[in-house]
Amino acid sequence: MKRLLMLALLGLSACHRIETSDTAAEGQGATTPAPVERNGGRVLRIIMWSDYIDPEVVKQFEKRENARVILDTFESNEYMLAKLQGGGASYDLATPSNYFIQVMVRAKLLQPLEAQKLSNFGNIGAGFLNPNFDPSNVYTVPYQYAATGLAYNSGRFTPSSESWKLIFGDTDTVRFSLLDDPREVIGAALKYLGYSVNSSDVAQLREARDLLRRTVSKRGFESFSGGPEVRNKLLAGTLDLGQIYVGDLLQGAAEDPNLKVYLPSEGTTISTDTLVLLRGSPNPALARKFVNFVLEGEVSAAISNYTYYGNPNTAAAPLLDPFLRSQKAFNPSQDDLKSGKVEFINELQAGNTTRLYDRIWTDLKAR
């Protein structure tokens, strides 16, 4: 799950998945779409990250609008993009990460959301308005955000510091895993070295590559894993430290207080998932009603209380679960965001930069 720039004021919240139609698994954890129904324009089709919305929120919208919502899911931005470009089902809304927005704009997959038609648009925190990936919020409304941290089970392991050094340093005394995500892993190495997570500098990227080569060669390196897998391994005691999306860890910490997560002192990554209106939407009016519904403070808070991911909605902040509000890693400080210590992942420059990241990742996964 994951990201971008421009934050000053922040709300809070979180992310998950539901389906209101009977669907079968179809690769990468995604689902096979049911036939599109027109039904007088009362059917809304959304393609969304797994476990990214409270089922009760969907039921509320269906009842309010006398509509049917069909949720299909994906596990990566790349899969979502391929699904949309491949045709087939006609979707109304999607939840891409910030660094995929301009990719979708260039592919002519989006249409303007027309924020002036959204009465709840004013609930969005100032730091999420007019982002560099979508100036003036022409195509996007921020949905949820996720910072990335290092997690541990305090009943089994006590970190000596809140630093990336425990993984990237010279010692090889901890069992650890990294996320199965190139931008997160390379970004963490860049941040540890004092660089931007979006660096295009060849020398900096080579330094990050060499650091990561040494890191994955350690005896303590266990695997590249998804967030839920990292959480489960920490619970089982097979890991000491795991790179993880904060929301994934907090879902487990709500049940087992021994699960802890921190944002490394050298800095880390953050990303925003957005709601976008697809160009081929069969029901754009109903889609805009759904976006406006999600922007209601109570609804937005309910989503975050279900998903445990960050929320850009200021009206939702006082309605969040006290457990979430008590978690420092859940809500990065305004200073950390302004300074870039907690830095949004941006779309890479086309050409050589993209190839360099791809080569680093391919090299690491082959080891």
Side-chain angles (χ1 to χ4, degrees), residues 300-363:
S300 186
I303 293 171
S304 288
N305 289 338
Y306 179 83
T307 63
Y308 285 34
Y309 275 78
N311 189 319
N313 190 314
T314 57
L319 304 173
L320 292 172
D321 188 311
F323 168 77
L324 294 179
R325 285 184 281 152
S326 72
Q327 301 296 312
K328 180 181 178 181
F330 174 76
N331 184 35
S333 73
Q334 190 172 325
D335 288 343
D336 284 348
L337 290 162
K338 284 182 176 180
S339 68
K341 178 181 176 181
V342 178
E343 185 179 5
F344 277 94
I345 297 175
N346 294 336
E347 181 186 2
L348 293 173
Q349 300 174 16
N352 189 51
T353 300
T354 301
R355 288 192 291 272
L356 283 171
Y357 277 78
D358 288 344
R359 287 171 186 167
I360 292 172
W361 188 241
T362 300
D363 177 78

Side-chain angles (χ1 to χ4, degrees), residues 276-299:
V276 298
L277 180 59
L278 298 168
R279 182 176 291 273
S281 167
N283 299 305
L286 186 61
R288 289 189 177 94
K289 285 186 177 182
F290 182 84
V291 174
N292 199 50
F293 173 72
V294 165
L295 289 174
E296 293 179 13
E298 289 186 1
V299 174

Side-chain angles (χ1 to χ4, degrees), residues 20 36-38 41-47 58 61-62 67-72 90-93 277 281-291:
T20 57
V36 174
E37 302 174 20
R38 301 299 175 180
R42 309 316 296 170
V43 173
L44 185 69
R45 166 68 54 67
I46 306 172
I47 184 166
V58 175
F61 180 78
E62 289 180 318
R68 181 185 179 209
V69 176
I70 299 174
L71 293 183
D72 298 324
S90 297
Y91 294 102
D92 297 287
L93 295 167
L277 180 59
S281 167
N283 299 305
L286 186 61
R288 289 189 177 94
K289 285 186 177 182
F290 182 84
V291 174

